[in-house]
Amino acid sequence: MSVTVQQTEFVLLEAGEYPATIGTVEAEDGQFGPQLKFKFMLDGGQTVLGWCSKTFNPKTKLYQWSRAAFGGGEIPRSYNLDTAHLEGKKVRLFLTVEPGRDGTEYNKVASVLPARRSTPPPVPAPVAAYPPDDLFTEQEVVPF
């Protein structure tokens, strides 16, 4: 029986910030123990992979990435992460270019940040420089 395997093409992206959506989050055994593999889908159609440990506390990459996916707010201490809650969330990736073991360069997810707002926050109405005339009342002048 014959099996056809499509060749994978790797594209090196410039270092910088990219809007993305979290695709899948899968458990993997890595060289440093149990890990999670994040598949990020960039708005330009490219896919970027990122790995982190399965440890979930405020000092870990997984916690920081989850916090960004949830908009940057605090995560309640009682919350236990279900990775399905991360899938489909909009984020911003900050990518760097790193040298690989074989000498070729690759992209590394340096940080995951909350997505930018799609609409700017409302602008407050201008405040009058002086109060309206009806706020002024005549006062009796008292000499010192």
Side-chain angles (χ1 to χ4, degrees):
M1 175 166 80
S2 173
V3 176
T4 303
V5 179
Q6 183 176 352
Q7 183 170 306
T8 303
E9 179 183 355
F10 292 98
V11 177
L12 184 66
L13 301 169
E14 289 184 29
E17 186 179 297
Y18 293 85
T21 302
I22 298 174
T24 58
V25 181
E26 301 172 351
E28 274 192 359
D29 286 326
Q31 71 183 58
F32 302 109
Q35 296 184 8
L36 293 175
K37 178 175 77 172
F38 280 68
K39 186 175 186 180
F40 297 100
M41 312 305 286
L42 301 185
D43 286 2
Q46 303 92 339
T47 300
V48 174
L49 301 177
W51 285 264
C52 62
S53 75
K54 289 176 74 173
T55 305
F56 187 67
N57 70 52
K59 295 183 179 185
T60 65
K61 193 187 303 186
L62 175 59
Y63 188 92
Q64 299 304 318
W65 290 9
S66 299
R67 186 174 177 190
F70 296 140
E74 292 299 318
I75 296 174
R77 297 191 88 203
S78 62
Y79 177 73
N80 293 315
L81 179 65
D82 179 344
T83 58
H85 296 162
L86 300 174
E87 295 177 3
K89 299 286 187 191
K90 301 280 187 190
V91 294
R92 289 179 292 144
L93 300 183
F94 188 79
L95 301 179
T96 58
V97 176
E98 304 284 330
R101 290 185 207 139
D102 62 356
T104 60
E105 294 181 321
Y106 70 97
N107 288 115
K108 179 178 179 181
V109 177
S111 60
V112 178
L113 308 167
R116 293 199 188 279
R117 291 183 177 190
S118 58
T119 57
V123 177
V127 177
Y130 301 100
D133 289 337
D134 62 348
L135 290 180
F136 292 106
T137 58
E138 291 185 28
Q139 297 179 1
E140 183 179 326
V141 177
V142 180
F144 295 116

